[in-house]
Amino acid sequence: MKRLDARLLWPLAALGAVLAFNLVATPGFFDLAVRDGRLYGSLVDVVNRAVPVLLLGFGMTLVIATAGVDLSVGAVMAIAGAVAACLIVRPEGCVLNALPVHSLAGIVAVSLGVALLCGVFNGLLVAVFRIQPIVATLLLMVAGRGIAQLLTNGQIVTFQSPAFGAIGSGATLGVPNPVWIAACVFGVGGLLVRGTAYGMFVEAVGSNPVASRLSGIDARGVKMAAYAVCAVCAGIAGLIAAADIRAADANNAGLYLELDAILAVSVGGTSLAGGRFSLVGTILGALLMQALATTIFTRGVSAEGTLVLKALVVVAVCVLQSGPLKRPRRAEARRA
C-alpha cells in the first residue's frame, strides 16, 4: 500500500466506524428530505457544520507543512465577521464608517482584505523576523479578539441583510451555500497547490529548510504565502459564521476552532513536524470530528463528556498512525 493511502487509512476507518454506528444505533441518521428546494438530514448537517473547520484546515495544512502553526485563525474569524457586520450596520463611532463600501462584493472584499493583512502580519513575524510560529501567532490570537471587540464596541452587532445572510444560511441547487464555498476553496486551492510547484516548495521548506534554500527556493515567500492563505480561509469561515447567525459576536466567533483545525490536520495524516501534507486527509479529519460531535450530541452526552470522547478518538487515531505502530507493519511487509 502506498504511503499516502496508509496515512488516510485510519481516519477513513474511524469515519466509517462512526457512520456505521449511526446506521445501527441512530434511526433516520441517513434519511434525506427536500423541503423548499433544500436538502435536509443529519448527513447534510454534518457536512455543513464541518465547513468552518474544513476551511481553517485547508490553510492550516499549508502552514503546518512548512513546519509552522497558526493559532490566530479563530481570532481572524472574529475580525472578518466584525468588519462585515460593521460595514453593513454602520454603528455609531465605528472607524469603518469612513469607508464608502456598501455593496455585498465590496463588504466581502474588505473583510477578506483585512484577514489577508492579518496573514501577512503573521508571515512577516515568522518568515522575516524568525519568531517561533506558536509565539508569533499567539500575539494575534490574543490581540485579534481585542481588535474585533474594539470594532464592535464590545457589543454583538446584529444585522438584517438577506443577501449577506445567504452566504451562511442559503442554499443553491438544494445544497447549503457553505458547502459550495468549501468545495470551491478545496477544488481551486487544491488545484493551485497540487497543480503548480507551490505544493512541492511547501513540502521542501517544511522537510529541510536549509536544503530548500540552497536549491534556490524562496522559503520566506513560501511561508508568507502559506500564512496569507490560512488567514484568508479563516476570513471566509468568519464571514460564513457571521452570515449564519446574522450577527458578529467578537467573543465567541471561532472560539477554540484553531484547535479543531490542528486536530483535523493531524488526524488527516499531515505531520506536525512539517513536510508532506494531505488535503484529502484534512477533509477526512474535519468530517470525522464533526460526525463524532453530532453522534455524541444525539446520544445525549453532556458537553464535558463530548470533549473527552472526541479527545479519546483523536488520540486513538493518532496513536495508530504513529511511528512505533508503523514500524512492525513495515517490517512484516519487507519480510513478505
Side-chain angles (χ1 to χ4, degrees):
M1 182 178 290
K2 294 181 180 179
R3 187 176 178 183
L4 177 61
D5 295 334
R7 287 188 301 175
L8 301 180
L9 176 62
W10 290 114
L12 191 60
L15 180 60
V18 173
L19 295 178
F21 174 82
N22 283 291
L23 179 65
V24 176
T26 309
F29 187 86
F30 285 84
D31 291 351
L32 295 175
V34 179
R35 292 195 293 271
D36 299 327
R38 175 172 177 160
L39 275 174
Y40 286 92
S42 297
L43 284 179
V44 178
D45 288 340
V46 167
V47 178
N48 193 28
R49 295 303 172 192
V51 165
V53 177
L54 278 169
L55 292 171
L56 297 182
F58 179 87
M60 192 69 76
T61 301
L62 298 181
V63 169
I64 287 177
T66 64
V69 70
D70 190 346
L71 298 180
S72 68
V73 288
V76 175
M77 280 183 65
I79 292 174
V83 170
C86 289
L87 288 175
I88 294 172
V89 177
R90 306 280 175 168
E92 186 178 355
C94 180
V95 295
L96 297 176
N97 290 346
L99 290 178
V101 177
H102 300 283
S103 67
L104 175 63
I107 291 170
V108 171
V110 171
S111 302
L112 295 184
V114 173
L116 176 62
L117 289 177
C118 294
V120 172
F121 174 75
N122 284 334
L124 282 173
L125 292 182
V126 174
V128 178
F129 295 101
R130 298 185 179 182
I131 299 176
Q132 286 292 324
I134 194 170
V135 176
T137 57
L138 187 62
L139 297 174
L140 191 55
M141 177 186 178
V142 176
R145 292 203 177 274
I147 294 172
Q149 289 176 355
L150 286 174
L151 290 173
T152 60
N153 198 24
Q155 305 295 318
I156 297 177
V157 179
T158 60
F159 55 83
Q160 294 297 327
S161 173
F164 186 79
I167 295 175
S169 56
T172 303
L173 300 176
V175 178
N177 286 337
V179 177
W180 285 114
I181 294 172
C184 289
V185 169
F186 270 87
V188 176
L191 188 62
L192 292 175
V193 170
R194 288 307 189 188
T196 66
Y198 180 70
M200 290 189 295
F201 291 166
V202 168
E203 292 181 339
V205 170
S207 298
N208 193 326
V210 176
S212 64
R213 187 179 69 252
L214 294 177
S215 61
I217 296 175
D218 180 7
R220 290 182 179 178
V222 170
K223 287 185 178 181
M224 287 196 63
Y227 281 94
V229 170
C230 187
V232 171
C233 288
I236 297 173
L239 293 181
I240 291 175
D244 187 28
I245 62 174
R246 306 202 176 200
D249 186 352
N251 287 320
N252 296 307
L255 191 63
Y256 302 136
L257 282 189
E258 59 273 358
L259 302 180
D260 281 354
I262 294 171
L263 287 176
V265 174
S266 178
V267 168
T270 298
S271 171
L272 294 180
R276 296 187 63 187
F277 63 89
S278 170
L279 294 177
V280 176
T282 299
I283 295 174
L284 290 175
L287 292 178
L288 169 62
M289 297 194 64
Q290 185 58 47
L292 189 61
T294 301
T295 301
I296 295 171
F297 282 134
T298 56
R299 310 316 299 175
V301 178
S302 64
E304 295 80 5
T306 300
L307 296 175
V308 174
L309 289 174
K310 283 177 65 176
L312 289 175
V313 172
V314 170
V315 168
V317 174
C318 291
V319 168
L320 290 169
Q321 292 177 322
S322 64
L325 292 184
K326 282 182 179 177
R327 282 192 285 272
R329 292 200 296 270
R330 290 174 183 169
E332 291 175 3
R334 284 195 294 271
R335 285 196 297 271

